[in-house]
Amino acid sequence: MTKSNARGPRLTSITWLIFSLVLFAAIVGIEAAPRRAAAAQSAASAVAVDADDIGGVVTSSNGPESGVWVIAETDQLPTKFRKIVVTDDRGRYLIPQLPVKKYEVWVRGYGLVDSPHVEAMPGKELNLTALIAPNAAAAAQYYPADYWYSLAQVPPKSEFPGTGPQGNGINPAMKTQADWLWQMKAGCETCHQIGDKATRQIEPQLGSFPTLLDAWDHRVRVGQDGTGMSASMDNYGRNRGLGMLADWTDRIAKGELPPAPSRPQGIERNIVLTAWEWGTAATFAHDELTTDKRHPTANANGTIYGVDWGNDDLLMVDPVEHTATRVRLPVREEGIPPGKVQSMPEPSPYWGKQLYWYDPATPTNMAIDSKGRVWMPARFRKPENQPAFCKEGSSLPWAKMQPIPRGWRQMEYYDPKTRQFTMVDTCFDNHHVTISDDEVVYGSGSRTGDIGWVDIKVWDATHDPEKSQGWCGGYFDVNGNGKYDPDVDKKWVLMGEYGMSASPKDNSGWAAIPGVPGHIVRIDRHTCATEVYEPPYNNPDAPGKLSFGPRGIDVDTNGIVWTALAGSSHMASFDRTKCKIKTGPAIMDGQHCPEGWTLYPIPGPKFKGVTDEITADYHYYNWVDRYNTSGLGDNTPFTNGTGSDSLLALNPSTGKFVTLRVPYPMGFYQRGMDGRIDDPKAGWKGRGVYADYGPNADWHIEPAGLSARSAVVKFQIRPDPLAK
C-alpha cells in the first residue's frame, strides 16, 4: 500500500504535466489560428502597387469594407488635384496613375465617418482603417442632398388647384401637384442643390429670427440671386412655400433622418475619378467641354474648357501639366448690362454686401468645331443694337417670316491656336449650342422665340454674319408640303427652349422646352417646319407614371432623341419613326405620338406626400455617349444626378441605371457632360467622361465657405476595381 500510494501521486503529477502541455499547445494553436488565417487573408488580399499607384486594404472593426471610397488629394501640383476609387468585395483598392507627389489619403463611405487623413507617396502599399459611424445621424451627414430634400412634405393632390392667400395659400397658378414639384426642382435646384448642409439647416451666420418661416423668408433674399430666389417663393404662394421649407428644416433639426443610400455595387466599384480645381471663389462654371462631339478623338489629351457665367471667364485645365488658367471674354461695346443682378435684397452670409458676379458677356455652353475652335453663346453688344438685317423690312427670308427687333446674346468662338476670340453677330438669342455633322452651329433662342444657326463654312469663307446665319420661328406643316401656307398651316412661336442638339441622321435641330408637361421640338432648318411632341402626361392607362419637365436633349447615332425629364425623374427616349400621325391638324396637339416615347424611371427617394413615380433628384441636363468614351457602350444615355452628387448612365436594354457618385467634396452639382478618347489603343485608360461642379454658389460645396472651389471631374470605368 505504501509503494502503491507512493506511486499514485507521482503518476498523477506526470499525467497532469502532460495534460497541461497538451492543453497549452491547444490553446496556442487556437489563438494562432486566427492570426494564421488573418495572415493568409492578408497575403491573399495584398495589392500589387506600381511606382505611380497607392493601394491596399480597407478594414474596420467589422472587417474588410467593400464599396467605400478611398480619396487621395494633393496641393503640390499647380492646381489642387484628387483621385478617388472604390474598394472591391474584399476591401481592396488601387488608385492608379498618380503624379508622384505627397497625398493625403482617407476613407469615406455610407455607414462610416471619415477616417483620419494619412500622408502617403505613390509606390507603397497603404492599408487603411475605416471608422464605423457612431450613430445614424453621424452616418447621414455623408448622404447626398436629394436624400435630405426627400424629407420635404409636399401638399397632397387634393389641395390643387391652389386657392390663393384667402384659401389654402397655394398659388392658383399651381393647377396640379406636378406644378408644385416642378417649382421645387426647376424653380429652386436650377441654381444649386437643396438638401446639402448649407441649405438643410439655418446656419448661425444667417442671423436670429422669431420663427423658421421668418428665417427662410430672409434666406431666399440673400446675395445676388436673392431677387430670383424670392420670386420663386411667390410662385408657390409665398407663405405656403416658405412654410414647407420651415417645416422641413424643423424636422431635420429635431433629428429626422433620410433613408440610407446603398453603397456602390457591381460596375460602380470599377470607377476612377480624377478632379482638378479651377476658377475662383466666385466662379459659376456653367459647363465644361473636352472635344468635338462628333469626333471624340479630337483634342486628345488637350485642354479642358469651361465657362464662368458669373464673371465672363473661359476656364482652362491642362490635364497633363495639371494647371488651371482663365481668360476673360471680350465685349464689343461699353455699358452692356450684366446678366446677374447688381444688387442684394439682403447681404450674403458668405460675402456680406460685396457683389461677387459681373457678367456682361454671360457665356453659358460650348461646342468644338472641326478646326478645334470653341464656340459659345456670349453677349458683346447691347440688345437694342440689333443689325438691320434682323428686323422687319429685311430681305432675309428668316426676317420676313419672323423679324427679331432685339437680340439678347450672340456667339463668340475661341481659337486655341491664336488664343483669340472672334465675335459672330447673331440676330437670334443663344443659350445652348451644338454643331451638326454638316458643320452648322445651332443655338437655342430661348428669349427670342426661335432656333437659329450659323453655317460655319459660309462664315469662314465670308465672315459675313448676314450671309452665314438663319433662324426659324416655326410652324406646323399641316399638309406636309414642306412650305408655309398661311391658309392651312399654323405658326407656333418657340419660347423658352433650353437644351439643343443636332441629329446625326439628318442634321435637323432638336430643342427641349421645360415645363409641365413641357415639349421637345424638331426644326427642319431648310423649311422651318416644326414638330412638337409632349412627353406622356397623366396617362390614365399608366397610373402613377406622371412624366414632365424636359430640359436637356441629345440625339444618338440612330436618330433616337433622349431627354431627361427633370420634373418627374425619368430618362425618356423618343423615336420619331414610330409616329403614326405625321400630317393633319392632329400634329398640333403634341400628344399625337405616344407610341414614340419610352420612359425609364430614375432611382432615388421620393418626397413625402408623393405617390406618383417621381423622385427627389433633379436632372439639369443629359447627354448621349455616342462613341463609347465611358466604356459602357455606344449610344449610352447619361443624365445628371444634380441633387445626388452623381452621373447616371442608363442601360436601355435592362432599364437599369449605373450611378457614378462623386463623394468628395460633397455638392457635386453638374450641368453639361461630354466624353473624350485620348488614346483608342489604351483601353479604359485612354477614355473618359467629364463633368464639373457647376452650382451658382460654389460656397455651398463642402466644407461650405469661400475656400471652396469648382472642379472638373473625369470619370473612367476600368474592368475591375484593381485594374491599373
Side-chain angles (χ1 to χ4, degrees), residues 149 152 188 192-203 206-222 226 229-230 233 236 238-252 346 700:
Y149 198 24
C188 295
H192 57 81
Q193 290 181 341
I194 305 290
D196 56 14
K197 191 173 182 180
T199 58
R200 66 177 180 257
Q201 61 189 23
I202 302 299
E203 296 181 318
L206 280 168
S208 299
F209 305 92
T211 68
L212 281 172
L213 192 144
D214 292 313
W216 270 100
D217 188 54
H218 174 83
R219 165 178 269 174
V220 299
R221 292 184 289 117
V222 302
M229 291 192 296
S230 185
M233 285 298 106
Y236 287 109
R238 189 173 189 87
N239 281 350
R240 193 61 190 272
L242 292 171
M244 177 189 71
L245 294 171
D247 169 72
W248 172 62
T249 303
D250 185 45
R251 286 186 284 109
I252 289 173
E346 296 289 348
H700 285 187

Side-chain angles (χ1 to χ4, degrees), residues 237-540:
R238 189 173 189 87
N239 281 350
R240 193 61 190 272
L242 292 171
M244 177 189 71
L245 294 171
D247 169 72
W248 172 62
T249 303
D250 185 45
R251 286 186 284 109
I252 289 173
K254 291 176 179 176
E256 187 169 345
L257 299 175
S262 61
R263 290 182 176 183
Q265 301 291 327
I267 199 169
E268 296 169 353
R269 296 182 178 179
N270 299 354
I271 192 169
V272 177
L273 302 173
T274 307
W276 301 264
E277 287 192 351
W278 59 3
T280 69
T283 289
F284 167 21
H286 191 278
D287 268 314
E288 59 67 44
L289 182 68
T290 66
T291 191
D292 182 342
K293 181 181 180 70
R294 304 157 301 167
H295 307 289
T297 56
N299 193 38
N301 296 302
T303 300
I304 303 168
Y305 297 98
V307 279
D308 177 358
W309 181 337
N311 288 290
D312 289 355
D313 284 334
L314 180 64
L315 307 171
M316 291 174 277
V317 159
D318 184 326
V320 177
E321 300 297 329
H322 310 292
T323 58
T325 56
R326 54 197 170 93
V327 59
R328 191 169 178 84
L329 272 71
V331 295
R332 192 172 68 192
E333 299 178 1
E334 297 293 330
I336 299 171
K340 289 291 188 181
V341 176
Q342 297 298 295
S343 63
M344 297 183 183
E346 296 289 348
S348 164
Y350 302 96
W351 293 89
K353 296 181 180 180
Q354 177 187 347
L355 298 177
Y356 39 85
W357 288 324
Y358 186 76
D359 60 337
T362 62
T364 54
N365 178 251
M366 298 164 290
I368 290 179
D369 67 18
S370 60
K371 295 183 178 180
R373 299 171 297 189
V374 183
W375 290 73
M376 67 202 79
R379 209 162 39 149
F380 50 78
R381 61 169 171 81
K382 296 177 182 177
E384 61 269 24
N385 292 340
Q386 187 86 316
F389 62 76
C390 306
K391 304 176 183 179
E392 193 166 352
S394 168
S395 61
L396 286 180
W398 329 107
K400 288 180 179 180
M401 188 170 187
Q402 186 192 9
I404 305 177
R406 294 170 62 89
W408 197 79
R409 189 191 270 133
Q410 298 79 47
M411 288 190 190
E412 293 186 20
Y413 60 81
Y414 175 77
D415 189 338
K417 296 177 182 177
T418 63
R419 300 183 181 180
Q420 297 294 316
F421 289 91
T422 299
M423 302 174 186
V424 182
D425 203 345
T426 60
C427 302
F428 54 91
D429 179 35
N430 295 280
H431 198 295
H432 279 77
V433 293
T434 191
I435 299 178
S436 62
D437 283 355
D438 59 349
E439 207 72 2
V440 167
V441 56
Y442 281 98
S444 58
S446 54
R447 293 173 184 254
T448 51
D450 49 66
I451 291 173
W453 61 88
V454 173
D455 189 318
I456 297 174
K457 300 183 297 297
V458 176
W459 170 261
D460 284 341
T462 66
H463 274 235
D464 186 331
E466 182 176 356
K467 292 179 180 178
S468 58
Q469 73 177 288
W471 64 91
C472 290
Y475 66 89
F476 293 108
D477 188 10
V478 175
N479 60 14
N481 67 353
K483 62 180 182 178
Y484 177 60
D485 297 319
D487 296 333
V488 179
D489 300 331
K490 180 182 178 181
K491 284 190 176 182
W492 194 80
V493 178
L494 290 158
M495 284 302 291
E497 60 270 28
Y498 189 74
M500 189 76 228
S501 186
S503 172
K505 278 289 187 182
D506 58 11
N507 296 312
S508 58
W510 286 85
I513 300 179
V516 180
H519 310 82
I520 61 171
V521 178
R522 179 184 184 271
I523 281 284
D524 182 334
R525 74 172 189 266
H526 304 289
T527 67
C528 282
T530 309
E531 299 170 21
V532 179
Y533 305 96
E534 293 179 353
Y537 179 67
N538 214 10
N539 185 349

